[in-house]
Amino acid sequence: MLSARRLVGFIGRRGRSVALRTSICGLKSLSQRRTVVIWCARDSTGFRHVLSSNLPKCGFRWFSSDSGLPSHTKVMLPALSPTMEMGTIVSWDKQEGDELSEGDLLAQIETDKATMEFETPEEGFLAKILIPAGSKDVPIGKLLCIIVENKEDVAAFKDYVPEDEPTPAAAEKPPAAAAAPPPPPPPTPSAPSPPPPATPASPPVPSPAAPGGRVFASPLAKKIAREKGIELSALQGSGPGGRVVAQDVSVATPAVAVPTPAFAPGAEYTDIPLTNIRKVIAKRLLESKQTIPHYYLSVDIRVDDLLEVRKQLNLDSDGEYKLSVNDFILKACALACKKVPEANSSWMTDVIRQHHSVDISVAVSAEAGLITPIVFNADKKGLQAISTDINALAEKARNNKLQPHEFQGGTITVSNLGMFGVKNFSAIINPPQACILAVGKAEKQVLVDEDSEKGYTTGTVMSVTLSCDHRVVDGAVGAQWLAAFKTYLEKPLTMLL
Protein backbone atom coordinates (compact mmCIF):
# COMPACT_ATOMS: atom_id res chain seq x y z
CA MET A 1 0.00 0.00 0.00
CA LEU A 2 1.05 3.58 -0.61
CA SER A 3 1.66 5.32 2.67
CA ALA A 4 0.44 8.86 3.25
CA ARG A 5 4.04 10.14 3.60
CA ARG A 6 5.11 8.64 0.26
CA LEU A 7 1.96 10.02 -1.38
CA VAL A 8 2.69 13.56 -0.15
CA GLY A 9 6.30 13.33 -1.38
CA PHE A 10 5.18 12.18 -4.82
CA ILE A 11 2.69 15.04 -5.14
CA GLY A 12 5.37 17.54 -4.07
CA ARG A 13 7.84 16.35 -6.72
CA ARG A 14 5.08 16.43 -9.32
CA GLY A 15 4.20 20.02 -8.36
CA ARG A 16 7.82 21.14 -8.67
CA SER A 17 8.15 19.64 -12.15
CA VAL A 18 4.95 21.36 -13.27
CA ALA A 19 6.20 24.68 -11.86
CA LEU A 20 9.54 24.22 -13.67
CA ARG A 21 7.84 23.59 -17.01
CA THR A 22 5.61 26.63 -16.41
CA SER A 23 8.66 28.83 -15.74
CA ILE A 24 10.36 27.66 -18.95
CA CYS A 25 7.22 28.40 -20.95
CA GLY A 26 7.03 31.81 -19.31
CA LEU A 27 10.62 32.64 -20.29
CA LYS A 28 9.92 31.56 -23.85
CA SER A 29 6.86 33.79 -24.07
CA LEU A 30 8.77 36.70 -22.59
CA SER A 31 11.51 36.32 -25.20
CA GLN A 32 8.90 36.62 -27.94
CA ARG A 33 7.33 39.75 -26.53
CA ARG A 34 8.03 43.19 -27.92
CA THR A 35 10.77 45.03 -26.08
CA VAL A 36 10.48 48.80 -25.77
CA VAL A 37 13.48 51.09 -25.91
CA ILE A 38 12.81 54.71 -24.95
CA TRP A 39 15.19 57.19 -26.52
CA CYS A 40 16.22 59.77 -23.96
CA ALA A 41 17.79 63.20 -24.33
CA ARG A 42 21.52 63.35 -24.84
CA ASP A 43 23.98 66.19 -24.63
CA SER A 44 23.23 69.32 -26.62
CA THR A 45 26.14 68.41 -28.87
CA GLY A 46 24.16 65.42 -30.08
CA PHE A 47 20.92 67.23 -30.80
CA ARG A 48 21.22 70.98 -31.29
CA HIS A 49 17.71 72.44 -31.22
CA VAL A 50 15.24 69.84 -30.12
CA LEU A 51 17.36 67.89 -27.73
CA SER A 52 19.15 70.79 -26.05
CA SER A 53 16.65 70.44 -23.18
CA ASN A 54 16.27 67.53 -20.79
CA LEU A 55 12.96 66.48 -22.29
CA PRO A 56 12.62 62.79 -23.19
CA LYS A 57 12.53 61.84 -26.83
CA CYS A 58 9.86 59.48 -28.05
CA GLY A 59 11.17 56.49 -29.98
CA PHE A 60 10.10 52.89 -29.50
CA ARG A 61 11.79 49.84 -30.99
CA TRP A 62 9.81 46.71 -31.68
CA PHE A 63 12.07 43.63 -32.05
CA SER A 64 9.20 41.44 -33.23
CA SER A 65 5.57 41.94 -34.06
CA ASP A 66 2.37 39.94 -34.15
CA SER A 67 1.87 41.03 -37.75
CA GLY A 68 5.26 39.68 -38.79
CA LEU A 69 6.82 43.08 -39.50
CA PRO A 70 10.62 43.38 -39.37
CA SER A 71 12.28 45.10 -36.44
CA HIS A 72 11.64 48.84 -36.56
CA THR A 73 11.61 52.06 -34.52
CA LYS A 74 8.50 54.11 -33.93
CA VAL A 75 9.26 57.83 -33.64
CA MET A 76 6.69 59.75 -31.60
CA LEU A 77 6.15 63.50 -31.37
CA PRO A 78 8.09 64.67 -28.28
CA ALA A 79 7.45 67.71 -26.10
CA LEU A 80 9.88 70.26 -27.50
CA SER A 81 9.10 72.86 -24.83
CA PRO A 82 7.77 72.65 -21.26
CA THR A 83 4.43 74.19 -22.25
CA MET A 84 3.97 72.35 -25.55
CA GLU A 85 0.77 70.31 -25.84
CA MET A 86 0.43 70.05 -29.62
CA GLY A 87 2.62 70.69 -32.64
CA THR A 88 2.41 71.38 -36.35
CA ILE A 89 4.47 69.41 -38.86
CA VAL A 90 5.83 72.23 -41.02
CA SER A 91 7.90 70.04 -43.38
CA TRP A 92 9.71 66.73 -43.72
CA ASP A 93 13.38 67.06 -44.65
CA LYS A 94 13.63 63.33 -45.42
CA GLN A 95 11.42 61.22 -47.69
CA GLU A 96 10.34 57.61 -47.42
CA GLY A 97 13.22 55.31 -48.38
CA ASP A 98 15.93 57.87 -47.53
CA GLU A 99 18.91 56.74 -45.50
CA LEU A 100 19.19 58.35 -42.06
CA SER A 101 22.22 59.03 -39.94
CA GLU A 102 21.94 59.84 -36.27
CA GLY A 103 21.58 63.61 -35.90
CA ASP A 104 20.25 64.21 -39.44
CA LEU A 105 17.52 66.83 -39.71
CA LEU A 106 14.28 64.84 -39.98
CA ALA A 107 11.48 67.41 -39.84
CA GLN A 108 10.57 71.00 -38.96
CA ILE A 109 8.01 71.16 -36.15
CA GLU A 110 6.20 74.30 -35.02
CA THR A 111 5.66 74.39 -31.26
CA ASP A 112 3.90 76.91 -29.08
CA LYS A 113 7.13 78.95 -29.01
CA ALA A 114 8.92 78.64 -32.35
CA THR A 115 9.66 76.35 -35.28
CA MET A 116 12.12 73.70 -34.12
CA GLU A 117 14.41 71.28 -35.93
CA PHE A 118 13.63 67.66 -35.07
CA GLU A 119 16.58 65.32 -35.59
CA THR A 120 16.79 61.61 -36.32
CA PRO A 121 17.05 59.55 -33.11
CA GLU A 122 19.04 56.71 -34.73
CA GLU A 123 20.54 55.40 -37.96
CA GLY A 124 18.51 53.48 -40.50
CA PHE A 125 16.05 54.09 -43.33
CA LEU A 126 12.83 56.10 -43.24
CA ALA A 127 10.19 53.45 -43.97
CA LYS A 128 6.91 55.29 -43.44
CA ILE A 129 5.73 58.86 -42.79
CA LEU A 130 2.42 58.72 -40.93
CA ILE A 131 1.78 62.44 -40.30
CA PRO A 132 2.11 64.45 -43.53
CA ALA A 133 3.60 67.93 -43.71
CA GLY A 134 1.11 70.68 -42.89
CA SER A 135 -0.73 68.64 -40.24
CA LYS A 136 -1.81 70.88 -37.36
CA ASP A 137 -2.59 70.25 -33.70
CA VAL A 138 -0.72 66.94 -33.58
CA PRO A 139 -0.78 65.78 -29.93
CA ILE A 140 2.38 64.85 -28.04
CA GLY A 141 3.09 61.12 -28.29
CA LYS A 142 1.47 60.77 -31.71
CA LEU A 143 3.31 58.36 -34.04
CA LEU A 144 5.17 60.41 -36.66
CA CYS A 145 7.18 57.89 -38.69
CA ILE A 146 8.79 54.45 -38.84
CA ILE A 147 12.54 53.79 -39.11
CA VAL A 148 14.00 50.40 -40.10
CA GLU A 149 17.57 49.11 -40.02
CA ASN A 150 17.71 47.61 -43.52
CA LYS A 151 16.60 49.20 -46.77
CA GLU A 152 14.91 46.01 -47.95
CA ASP A 153 12.54 46.26 -44.98
CA VAL A 154 11.11 49.58 -46.21
CA ALA A 155 8.64 47.87 -48.59
CA ALA A 156 7.08 45.95 -45.69
CA PHE A 157 5.65 49.21 -44.30
CA LYS A 158 4.10 50.49 -47.54
CA ASP A 159 0.54 49.85 -46.31
CA TYR A 160 1.33 50.08 -42.62
CA VAL A 161 -1.48 51.22 -40.32
CA PRO A 162 -0.55 52.34 -36.77
CA GLU A 163 -1.30 49.79 -34.09
CA ASP A 164 -2.74 52.48 -31.83
CA GLU A 165 -5.82 52.52 -34.10
CA PRO A 166 -7.28 49.53 -32.22
CA THR A 167 -8.20 52.02 -29.52
CA PRO A 168 -11.14 53.31 -31.59
CA ALA A 169 -11.98 49.70 -32.46
CA ALA A 170 -12.07 48.93 -28.79
CA ALA A 171 -14.28 51.93 -28.35
CA GLU A 172 -16.60 50.56 -31.01
CA LYS A 173 -17.07 47.29 -29.13
CA PRO A 174 -18.87 48.82 -26.14
CA PRO A 175 -21.45 50.45 -28.42
CA ALA A 176 -21.98 47.07 -30.11
CA ALA A 177 -22.49 45.48 -26.75
CA ALA A 178 -24.79 48.28 -25.75
CA ALA A 179 -26.67 47.92 -29.02
CA ALA A 180 -27.23 44.22 -28.38
CA PRO A 181 -29.71 44.82 -25.56
CA PRO A 182 -32.30 47.15 -27.12
CA PRO A 183 -34.10 47.74 -23.81
CA PRO A 184 -31.31 50.00 -22.34
CA PRO A 185 -31.43 52.59 -25.18
CA PRO A 186 -35.09 53.52 -24.58
CA PRO A 187 -34.53 54.23 -20.88
CA THR A 188 -31.46 56.31 -21.70
CA PRO A 189 -33.31 58.91 -23.78
CA SER A 190 -36.18 58.85 -21.35
CA ALA A 191 -33.79 59.56 -18.48
CA PRO A 192 -32.46 62.79 -20.01
CA SER A 193 -35.93 63.91 -21.03
CA PRO A 194 -37.26 64.20 -17.47
CA PRO A 195 -34.50 66.65 -16.39
CA PRO A 196 -35.53 69.29 -18.96
CA PRO A 197 -39.13 69.31 -17.74
CA ALA A 198 -37.82 69.21 -14.18
CA THR A 199 -35.88 72.43 -14.80
CA PRO A 200 -38.88 74.41 -15.97
CA ALA A 201 -40.88 72.72 -13.24
CA SER A 202 -38.62 74.33 -10.59
CA PRO A 203 -39.44 77.92 -11.59
CA PRO A 204 -43.03 77.41 -10.54
CA VAL A 205 -41.80 78.91 -7.26
CA PRO A 206 -42.35 82.43 -8.63
CA SER A 207 -45.45 81.22 -10.48
CA PRO A 208 -47.81 82.39 -7.68
CA ALA A 209 -46.83 85.93 -8.62
CA ALA A 210 -47.20 85.25 -12.31
CA PRO A 211 -50.87 86.33 -12.52
CA GLY A 212 -50.06 89.79 -11.23
CA GLY A 213 -46.74 89.89 -13.07
CA ARG A 214 -44.95 90.50 -9.80
CA VAL A 215 -41.84 88.70 -8.51
CA PHE A 216 -41.54 88.30 -4.76
CA ALA A 217 -38.11 89.59 -3.73
CA SER A 218 -36.57 91.43 -0.80
CA PRO A 219 -35.72 95.14 -1.22
CA LEU A 220 -32.00 94.40 -0.94
CA ALA A 221 -32.28 91.69 -3.61
CA LYS A 222 -34.01 94.15 -5.96
CA LYS A 223 -31.29 96.74 -5.35
CA ILE A 224 -28.46 94.28 -6.07
CA ALA A 225 -30.28 92.97 -9.15
CA ARG A 226 -30.54 96.51 -10.58
CA GLU A 227 -26.84 97.14 -10.00
CA LYS A 228 -25.78 93.84 -11.60
CA GLY A 229 -28.31 93.94 -14.41
CA ILE A 230 -29.95 90.65 -13.41
CA GLU A 231 -33.57 89.76 -14.23
CA LEU A 232 -35.28 88.66 -11.02
CA SER A 233 -37.86 86.57 -12.87
CA ALA A 234 -35.04 84.29 -14.07
CA LEU A 235 -33.96 83.42 -10.51
CA GLN A 236 -35.24 80.69 -8.24
CA GLY A 237 -35.80 82.07 -4.80
CA SER A 238 -34.55 80.28 -1.72
CA GLY A 239 -36.59 82.33 0.74
CA PRO A 240 -39.98 81.50 2.22
CA GLY A 241 -42.55 80.76 -0.47
CA GLY A 242 -39.94 81.07 -3.22
CA ARG A 243 -39.04 84.63 -2.29
CA VAL A 244 -35.81 85.90 -3.93
CA VAL A 245 -33.35 87.05 -1.30
CA ALA A 246 -30.09 88.98 -1.55
CA GLN A 247 -27.97 85.80 -1.46
CA ASP A 248 -29.75 84.45 -4.56
CA VAL A 249 -28.85 87.58 -6.51
CA SER A 250 -25.28 87.75 -5.21
CA VAL A 251 -24.39 84.28 -6.45
CA ALA A 252 -26.14 84.78 -9.80
CA THR A 253 -24.14 85.86 -12.83
CA PRO A 254 -25.64 88.35 -15.24
CA ALA A 255 -26.36 86.91 -18.66
CA VAL A 256 -23.90 88.56 -21.00
CA ALA A 257 -25.04 88.66 -24.58
CA VAL A 258 -22.09 87.84 -26.81
CA PRO A 259 -22.17 90.34 -29.66
CA THR A 260 -22.09 88.61 -33.00
CA PRO A 261 -20.26 90.62 -35.64
CA ALA A 262 -22.61 91.83 -38.31
CA PHE A 263 -21.20 91.79 -41.82
CA ALA A 264 -22.71 93.80 -44.59
CA PRO A 265 -24.09 91.65 -47.43
CA GLY A 266 -21.39 91.05 -50.00
CA ALA A 267 -18.58 92.24 -47.70
CA GLU A 268 -15.23 90.64 -48.43
CA TYR A 269 -12.90 89.38 -45.72
CA THR A 270 -10.13 86.88 -45.11
CA ASP A 271 -10.01 84.45 -42.17
CA ILE A 272 -6.41 83.98 -41.07
CA PRO A 273 -5.82 80.61 -39.35
CA LEU A 274 -4.21 80.78 -35.92
CA THR A 275 -0.71 79.40 -35.53
CA ASN A 276 0.37 77.65 -32.34
CA ILE A 277 2.52 80.66 -31.45
CA ARG A 278 -0.40 83.09 -31.90
CA LYS A 279 -2.65 80.88 -29.73
CA VAL A 280 -0.07 80.86 -26.93
CA ILE A 281 0.47 84.63 -27.18
CA ALA A 282 -3.29 85.20 -26.90
CA LYS A 283 -3.62 82.79 -23.99
CA ARG A 284 -0.68 84.15 -21.97
CA LEU A 285 -1.49 87.84 -22.50
CA LEU A 286 -5.14 87.31 -21.56
CA GLU A 287 -4.06 85.39 -18.47
CA SER A 288 -1.62 88.17 -17.57
CA LYS A 289 -4.20 90.95 -17.80
CA GLN A 290 -6.82 88.95 -15.91
CA THR A 291 -4.67 87.64 -13.07
CA ILE A 292 -1.88 90.20 -12.54
CA PRO A 293 -2.67 93.53 -10.81
CA HIS A 294 -0.83 95.88 -13.19
CA TYR A 295 0.10 99.44 -12.34
CA TYR A 296 2.12 101.84 -14.45
CA LEU A 297 4.87 104.39 -13.79
CA SER A 298 6.08 106.80 -16.49
CA VAL A 299 9.04 109.15 -16.66
CA ASP A 300 10.72 111.37 -19.25
CA ILE A 301 14.48 110.95 -19.70
CA ARG A 302 16.81 113.42 -21.35
CA VAL A 303 19.26 111.47 -23.52
CA ASP A 304 21.48 114.17 -25.09
CA ASP A 305 24.60 112.99 -23.24
CA LEU A 306 23.83 109.36 -24.08
CA LEU A 307 23.55 110.15 -27.79
CA GLU A 308 26.86 111.97 -27.68
CA VAL A 309 28.63 109.07 -25.94
CA ARG A 310 27.10 106.60 -28.41
CA LYS A 311 28.25 108.71 -31.34
CA GLN A 312 31.80 108.91 -30.01
CA LEU A 313 32.03 105.17 -29.28
CA ASN A 314 30.80 104.26 -32.76
CA LEU A 315 33.37 106.61 -34.33
CA ASP A 316 36.14 104.95 -32.34
CA SER A 317 35.03 101.40 -33.23
CA ASP A 318 36.52 101.44 -36.76
CA GLY A 319 33.49 99.46 -37.93
CA GLU A 320 34.07 96.64 -35.43
CA TYR A 321 30.72 97.28 -33.77
CA LYS A 322 27.80 99.68 -33.95
CA LEU A 323 26.03 100.50 -30.70
CA SER A 324 22.35 101.40 -30.68
CA VAL A 325 20.35 103.34 -28.11
CA ASN A 326 18.66 100.06 -27.21
CA ASP A 327 22.03 98.62 -26.12
CA PHE A 328 22.39 101.44 -23.58
CA ILE A 329 18.78 100.87 -22.44
CA LEU A 330 19.45 97.18 -21.77
CA LYS A 331 22.65 97.95 -19.86
CA ALA A 332 20.91 100.63 -17.76
CA CYS A 333 18.03 98.23 -17.11
CA ALA A 334 20.41 95.54 -15.87
CA LEU A 335 22.27 97.94 -13.56
CA ALA A 336 19.00 99.32 -12.18
CA CYS A 337 17.92 95.73 -11.37
CA LYS A 338 21.13 95.20 -9.42
CA LYS A 339 20.56 98.44 -7.54
CA VAL A 340 16.88 97.68 -6.83
CA PRO A 341 16.78 93.85 -6.76
CA GLU A 342 13.12 93.75 -5.69
CA ALA A 343 12.17 94.58 -9.28
CA ASN A 344 14.26 91.67 -10.56
CA SER A 345 11.84 89.13 -9.08
CA SER A 346 9.15 86.65 -10.08
CA TRP A 347 5.79 85.70 -8.59
CA MET A 348 5.88 81.94 -7.83
CA THR A 349 2.44 81.67 -6.11
CA ASP A 350 3.85 80.54 -2.76
CA VAL A 351 7.00 82.68 -2.73
CA ILE A 352 8.53 85.71 -4.41
CA ARG A 353 11.73 84.60 -6.12
CA GLN A 354 14.41 87.29 -6.21
CA HIS A 355 16.95 86.54 -8.95
CA HIS A 356 20.68 87.09 -8.43
CA SER A 357 21.48 87.44 -12.14
CA VAL A 358 19.77 89.81 -14.57
CA ASP A 359 18.49 88.00 -17.68
CA ILE A 360 16.69 90.51 -19.88
CA SER A 361 13.97 89.31 -22.26
CA VAL A 362 13.86 91.55 -25.33
CA ALA A 363 10.58 91.70 -27.26
CA VAL A 364 11.20 90.97 -30.94
CA SER A 365 8.50 91.06 -33.60
CA ALA A 366 8.81 88.05 -35.92
CA GLU A 367 6.58 87.01 -38.81
CA ALA A 368 4.95 84.30 -36.70
CA GLY A 369 4.34 86.64 -33.75
CA LEU A 370 6.01 88.17 -30.72
CA ILE A 371 8.91 86.32 -29.11
CA THR A 372 11.30 87.36 -26.33
CA PRO A 373 14.89 86.09 -26.70
CA ILE A 374 17.04 86.57 -23.62
CA VAL A 375 20.30 88.42 -23.02
CA PHE A 376 21.72 86.41 -20.10
CA ASN A 377 23.81 88.04 -17.36
CA ALA A 378 23.32 91.47 -18.91
CA ASP A 379 24.58 93.11 -15.71
CA LYS A 380 28.00 91.50 -16.24
CA LYS A 381 28.33 92.29 -19.96
CA GLY A 382 29.64 95.40 -21.66
CA LEU A 383 27.80 97.38 -24.31
CA GLN A 384 29.60 95.64 -27.17
CA ALA A 385 28.76 92.15 -25.86
CA ILE A 386 25.10 93.13 -25.34
CA SER A 387 24.95 94.55 -28.87
CA THR A 388 26.42 91.37 -30.35
CA ASP A 389 24.03 89.14 -28.41
CA ILE A 390 20.88 91.06 -29.25
CA ASN A 391 21.72 91.28 -32.97
CA ALA A 392 22.33 87.53 -33.17
CA LEU A 393 19.19 86.69 -31.19
CA ALA A 394 16.97 89.02 -33.20
CA GLU A 395 18.20 87.47 -36.46
CA LYS A 396 17.54 83.94 -35.19
CA ALA A 397 14.10 84.97 -33.91
CA ARG A 398 13.05 86.35 -37.30
CA ASN A 399 14.20 83.12 -38.97
CA ASN A 400 12.54 80.86 -36.36
CA LYS A 401 15.92 79.40 -35.39
CA LEU A 402 15.89 80.13 -31.66
CA GLN A 403 16.71 77.25 -29.35
CA PRO A 404 14.38 76.71 -26.35
CA HIS A 405 16.91 77.88 -23.77
CA GLU A 406 17.32 81.17 -25.67
CA PHE A 407 13.75 82.35 -25.05
CA GLN A 408 12.56 80.46 -21.97
CA GLY A 409 13.07 82.25 -18.66
CA GLY A 410 14.21 85.83 -18.18
CA THR A 411 13.84 88.03 -15.10
CA ILE A 412 12.61 91.30 -16.68
CA THR A 413 11.45 92.33 -20.16
CA VAL A 414 12.15 95.37 -22.34
CA SER A 415 9.85 96.30 -25.23
CA ASN A 416 11.03 99.15 -27.46
CA LEU A 417 8.66 100.65 -30.05
CA GLY A 418 10.55 103.92 -30.39
CA MET A 419 11.87 102.96 -33.83
CA PHE A 420 8.24 102.86 -35.04
CA GLY A 421 7.58 106.43 -33.91
CA VAL A 422 5.56 105.43 -30.83
CA LYS A 423 5.92 108.10 -28.17
CA ASN A 424 4.75 106.03 -25.18
CA PHE A 425 2.72 102.92 -24.40
CA SER A 426 2.00 100.49 -21.56
CA ALA A 427 3.20 96.92 -22.01
CA ILE A 428 1.65 93.74 -20.60
CA ILE A 429 3.74 91.86 -18.03
CA ASN A 430 5.28 88.57 -19.14
CA PRO A 431 4.52 86.15 -16.25
CA PRO A 432 6.04 85.05 -13.95
CA GLN A 433 8.18 88.19 -14.25
CA ALA A 434 7.17 91.21 -12.16
CA CYS A 435 8.14 94.09 -14.49
CA ILE A 436 8.27 95.07 -18.14
CA LEU A 437 9.70 98.33 -19.48
CA ALA A 438 8.01 100.01 -22.44
CA VAL A 439 10.31 102.40 -24.32
CA GLY A 440 9.04 105.15 -26.63
CA LYS A 441 10.87 107.26 -29.19
CA ALA A 442 13.35 110.04 -28.40
CA GLU A 443 12.35 113.42 -29.79
CA LYS A 444 13.42 117.05 -29.53
CA GLN A 445 11.47 119.10 -27.00
CA VAL A 446 11.57 122.59 -25.50
CA LEU A 447 12.70 122.36 -21.88
CA VAL A 448 12.74 124.85 -19.03
CA ASP A 449 16.28 126.06 -18.31
CA GLU A 450 16.58 128.66 -15.56
CA ASP A 451 20.31 129.10 -16.28
CA SER A 452 19.67 130.15 -19.86
CA GLU A 453 19.10 133.78 -20.80
CA LYS A 454 15.95 132.79 -22.68
CA GLY A 455 14.71 130.70 -19.78
CA TYR A 456 14.41 127.61 -21.95
CA THR A 457 16.47 125.24 -24.08
CA THR A 458 15.94 122.30 -26.39
CA GLY A 459 16.82 118.71 -25.65
CA THR A 460 16.16 115.13 -26.75
CA VAL A 461 13.67 113.43 -24.44
CA MET A 462 12.63 109.79 -24.33
CA SER A 463 9.49 108.56 -22.54
CA VAL A 464 9.45 105.18 -20.77
CA THR A 465 6.70 103.36 -18.84
CA LEU A 466 7.32 100.61 -16.29
CA SER A 467 4.50 98.08 -15.82
CA CYS A 468 4.71 96.41 -12.40
CA ASP A 469 3.01 93.47 -10.69
CA HIS A 470 1.69 94.96 -7.45
CA ARG A 471 1.90 91.56 -5.74
CA VAL A 472 5.69 91.73 -6.04
CA VAL A 473 6.73 95.35 -6.57
CA ASP A 474 5.19 98.14 -4.51
CA GLY A 475 4.78 101.59 -5.97
CA ALA A 476 7.73 103.06 -4.05
CA VAL A 477 10.00 100.23 -5.22
CA GLY A 478 8.94 100.78 -8.83
CA ALA A 479 9.68 104.50 -8.46
CA GLN A 480 13.15 103.75 -7.05
CA TRP A 481 13.90 101.47 -10.00
CA LEU A 482 12.81 104.13 -12.51
CA ALA A 483 14.92 106.77 -10.75
CA ALA A 484 18.01 104.54 -10.97
CA PHE A 485 17.29 103.73 -14.62
CA LYS A 486 16.88 107.41 -15.45
CA THR A 487 20.16 108.33 -13.75
CA TYR A 488 22.11 105.75 -15.74
CA LEU A 489 20.73 107.02 -19.06
CA GLU A 490 21.03 110.73 -18.31
CA LYS A 491 24.59 110.20 -17.01
CA PRO A 492 25.85 107.29 -19.13
CA LEU A 493 29.38 107.44 -17.73
CA THR A 494 27.97 106.20 -14.39
CA MET A 495 27.48 102.81 -16.06
CA LEU A 496 31.26 102.40 -15.87
CA LEU A 497 31.36 102.70 -12.09
Side-chain angles (χ1 to χ4, degrees), residues 304-329 331 381-387 488-489 491-496:
D304 294 281
D305 292 344
L306 184 148
L307 295 177
E308 186 62 32
V309 170
R310 169 180 173 265
K311 179 181 178 181
Q312 190 60 47
L313 289 175
N314 285 336
L315 288 175
D316 296 340
S317 67
D318 294 330
E320 183 180 351
Y321 56 83
K322 185 177 181 181
L323 301 178
S324 67
V325 174
N326 203 48
D327 300 330
F328 286 85
I329 291 173
K331 182 62 178 179
K381 293 180 177 179
L383 291 168
Q384 183 179 352
I386 290 176
S387 178
Y488 285 124
L489 288 187
K491 301 177 181 178
L493 294 180
T494 58
M495 297 187 196
L496 304 176

Side-chain angles (χ1 to χ4, degrees), residues 66-181:
D66 297 337
S67 57
L69 293 172
S71 93
H72 56 281
T73 300
K74 292 186 174 181
V75 180
M76 313 294 185
L77 176 65
L80 305 182
S81 72
T83 57
M84 177 180 172
E85 298 176 356
M86 295 184 179
T88 297
I89 310 302
V90 178
S91 64
W92 284 96
D93 290 83
K94 297 289 185 180
Q95 302 302 320
E96 293 182 0
D98 289 354
E99 184 176 2
L100 305 176
S101 298
E102 188 174 345
D104 283 354
L105 180 58
L106 186 61
Q108 301 271 354
I109 299 177
E110 179 186 319
T111 70
D112 57 339
K113 300 290 187 183
T115 300
M116 315 293 294
E117 294 182 352
F118 181 49
E119 298 183 355
T120 305
E122 69 164 15
E123 297 179 353
F125 295 86
L126 183 57
K128 185 71 174 178
I129 293 176
L130 297 160
I131 305 295
S135 300
K136 298 183 178 181
D137 297 333
V138 180
I140 292 175
K142 185 72 173 178
L143 180 58
L144 296 181
C145 64
I146 300 290
I147 298 177
V148 295
E149 295 180 357
N150 304 313
K151 190 170 185 178
E152 53 269 20
D153 295 334
V154 172
F157 293 88
K158 181 179 180 181
D159 301 321
Y160 176 80
V161 177
E163 292 184 358
D164 55 351
E165 300 305 321
T167 314
E172 291 174 6
K173 291 181 181 178

Side-chain angles (χ1 to χ4, degrees), residues 239-261:
R243 182 185 179 91
V244 179
V245 295
Q247 185 178 0
D248 300 329
V249 183
S250 299
V251 297
T253 55
V256 180
V258 180
T260 56

Side-chain angles (χ1 to χ4, degrees), residues 172-484:
E172 291 174 6
K173 291 181 181 178
T188 309
S190 62
S193 56
T199 311
S202 58
V205 181
S207 65
R214 179 184 171 190
V215 178
F216 291 104
S218 67
L220 181 57
K222 293 179 180 179
K223 180 177 181 295
I224 298 175
R226 281 195 303 270
E227 293 174 351
K228 298 180 67 174
I230 297 176
E231 187 65 34
L232 288 174
S233 59
L235 301 180
Q236 179 179 352
S238 61
R243 182 185 179 91
V244 179
V245 295
Q247 185 178 0
D248 300 329
V249 183
S250 299
V251 297
T253 55
V256 180
V258 180
T260 56
F263 299 102
E268 297 181 357
Y269 57 88
T270 301
D271 290 334
I272 301 174
L274 295 177
T275 62
N276 291 337
I277 297 176
R278 178 55 58 186
K279 290 178 183 177
V280 172
I281 291 173
K283 179 181 178 181
R284 286 178 60 83
L285 292 184
L286 179 63
E287 177 186 0
S288 176
K289 287 296 287 185
Q290 288 182 335
T291 61
I292 296 179
H294 288 61
Y295 73 90
Y296 311 96
L297 302 173
S298 298
V299 68
D300 290 334
I301 303 173
R302 186 169 180 178
V303 293
D304 294 281
D305 292 344
L306 184 148
L307 295 177
E308 186 62 32
V309 170
R310 169 180 173 265
K311 179 181 178 181
Q312 190 60 47
L313 289 175
N314 285 336
L315 288 175
D316 296 340
S317 67
D318 294 330
E320 183 180 351
Y321 56 83
K322 185 177 181 181
L323 301 178
S324 67
V325 174
N326 203 48
D327 300 330
F328 286 85
I329 291 173
L330 296 182
K331 182 62 178 179
C333 176
L335 294 177
C337 285
K338 295 300 289 185
K339 194 168 186 178
V340 186
E342 294 86 352
N344 192 46
S345 303
S346 300
W347 175 260
M348 307 303 293
T349 306
D350 297 326
V351 297
I352 294 175
R353 179 169 297 169
Q354 193 171 112
H355 303 280
H356 296 163
S357 62
V358 183
D359 303 328
I360 301 180
S361 302
V362 184
V364 175
S365 178
E367 185 177 352
L370 183 69
I371 194 166
T372 53
I374 302 169
V375 178
F376 291 95
N377 298 311
D379 55 312
K380 301 174 183 177
K381 293 180 177 179
L383 291 168
Q384 183 179 352
I386 290 176
S387 178
T388 302
D389 284 359
I390 196 59
N391 289 334
L393 290 170
E395 183 66 22
K396 294 175 71 174
R398 295 188 182 99
N399 295 326
N400 290 325
K401 297 297 183 182
L402 283 174
Q403 301 180 22
H405 70 275
E406 292 177 320
F407 57 80
Q408 293 174 3
T411 60
I412 191 171
T413 300
V414 173
S415 179
N416 190 346
L417 295 180
M419 65 284 293
F420 298 105
V422 177
K423 184 176 181 180
N424 55 63
F425 66 103
S426 299
I428 301 174
I429 294 173
N430 183 21
Q433 298 175 12
C435 295
I436 180 171
L437 182 69
V439 182
K441 73 169 184 176
E443 58 183 359
K444 287 282 187 179
Q445 292 185 10
V446 177
L447 306 172
V448 175
D449 186 0
E450 297 179 354
D451 298 331
S452 173
E453 296 180 358
K454 299 179 180 179
Y456 67 89
T457 186
T458 58
T460 305
V461 177
M462 180 177 67
S463 179
V464 300
T465 300
L466 182 68
S467 304
C468 302
D469 182 348
H470 216 318
R471 299 172 300 179
V472 182
V473 179
D474 292 331
V477 175
Q480 292 171 15
W481 188 94
L482 265 185

